[in-house]
Amino acid sequence: MKKILVFIGILSLSACAELQTIADNLPQEGYGLSNDDIANGLKQALDKGIDEQVQKLTQENGFYENSAVKILLPEELRKVEKGLRDIGLNSLADEGIKALNRAAEDAVKEATPIFVSAVREMTFTDAKNILMGDNRAATGYLESKTTNTLYQKFNPVIKNSFNKVGADQIWSNLIQKYNSIPLTQNVNPDLTDYVTSKALEGVFTMIAKEEVEIRNNYSSRTTDLLRKVFALQDNR
């Protein structure tokens, strides 16, 4: 038993030593890049993801015509879509799906100020962990800092958007048509929570896409600071 504990202790010390070596290899004040430079470089990377990817989602068809984030019906409602298409009501089914995506596009407009606040709060320790983390470390940071707030912001916007774009009426007509099909089981779903969760998923999918580009594609590092900071990642 003692031998096992000693072995575990050696492994733990080895892991700590490896992490310390990584930290020691990052530049400190006065050596090429300062701590502030590193933090600011990571902030630039996150800002770039927000500016170039999240903003796309707020445009008309930002969700609907983007296969990576397009919101489809939840599994339990796909029988509704199939049933409508089977009887030739393709346009009604399409309008129902489009309404879900329009609501998400409206909601994402609320995201930018929340992201900006989270980016401003980033510390050097946060930046160091992100820089030396995996391809999704920056996205994960934003998720941990903003998900709850974003949900609270998105949910009422999506509910209101359903009214604004006529989704309530569209889905009422769609469900009534489906429920009138012989031998089908009636359904009456509440889609607000579902679309809210899918909108959040879409936002972080697009931020992660930009993060991967910056980490793995030199040409995506569009400022001197991005190039210098992510060179540290390349050389780790």
Side-chain angles (χ1 to χ4, degrees):
M1 182 66 175
K2 286 183 178 179
K3 288 182 179 179
I4 293 173
L5 290 174
V6 169
F7 179 66
I8 293 172
I10 290 171
L11 286 179
S12 299
L13 288 171
S14 176
C16 290
E18 183 177 352
L19 290 173
Q20 187 60 50
T21 298
I22 292 172
D24 290 343
N25 284 335
L26 286 172
Q28 302 300 314
E29 293 284 356
Y31 290 88
L33 288 173
S34 68
N35 292 350
D36 284 344
D37 287 334
I38 294 171
N40 287 334
L42 268 295
K43 289 176 182 180
Q44 275 192 15
L46 284 171
D47 285 339
K48 189 170 184 289
I50 293 165
D51 290 342
E52 296 194 9
Q53 298 296 341
V54 177
Q55 291 303 316
K56 291 178 183 177
L57 297 178
T58 68
Q59 306 302 311
E60 184 171 315
N61 294 322
F63 273 84
Y64 187 69
E65 292 185 352
N66 183 339
S67 61
V69 297
K70 182 178 180 179
I71 300 174
L72 303 176
L73 292 178
E75 190 66 37
E76 63 269 26
L77 288 183
R78 289 183 191 167
K79 62 183 179 181
V80 177
E81 180 183 6
K82 183 179 184 304
L84 292 169
R85 295 189 190 282
D86 285 347
I87 62 171
L89 295 176
N90 290 333
S91 61
L92 184 59
D94 290 339
E95 284 303 307
I97 294 172
K98 187 178 291 185
L100 305 185
N101 287 271
R102 287 287 182 269
E105 289 155 14
D106 277 349
V108 172
K109 294 172 184 174
E110 301 289 322
T112 298
I114 295 169
F115 284 139
V116 168
S117 177
V119 172
R120 285 177 180 167
E121 293 172 3
M122 183 188 292
T123 66
F124 171 67
T125 299
D126 293 327
K128 181 175 65 176
N129 291 337
I130 291 168
L131 182 63
M132 307 313 286
D134 62 25
N135 275 350
R136 210 177 177 280
T139 306
Y141 167 82
L142 278 185
E143 282 180 313
S144 69
K145 295 289 185 180
T146 66
T147 294
N148 290 338
T149 304
L150 288 173
Y151 185 94
Q152 297 302 319
K153 284 283 188 180
F154 281 15
N155 193 267
V157 173
I158 286 170
K159 186 173 183 179
N160 290 335
S161 182
F162 279 167
N163 293 326
K164 184 179 76 174
V165 302
D168 287 345
Q169 188 60 49
I170 290 169
W171 273 97
S172 176
N173 291 340
L174 190 153
I175 296 301
Q176 286 175 17
K177 289 284 187 182
Y178 176 78
N179 287 344
S180 70
I181 299 172
L183 304 178
T184 58
Q185 184 176 354
N186 287 2
V187 294
N188 184 27
D190 176 5
L191 293 173
T192 303
D193 178 71
Y194 171 77
V195 174
T196 301
S197 297
K198 286 296 182 180
L200 284 169
E201 184 180 310
V203 165
F204 292 121
T205 294
M206 297 307 290
I207 292 175
K209 177 181 177 181
E210 187 66 26
E211 179 178 0
V212 169
E213 276 294 307
I214 292 172
R215 286 186 183 275
N216 297 306
N217 188 346
Y218 183 85
S219 64
S220 294
R221 302 170 189 175
T222 53
T223 69
D224 286 340
L225 186 56
L226 282 175
R227 286 187 284 270
K228 289 176 182 177
V229 168
F230 281 91
L232 299 175
Q233 170 212 261
D234 296 340
N235 297 324
R236 65 181 173 179

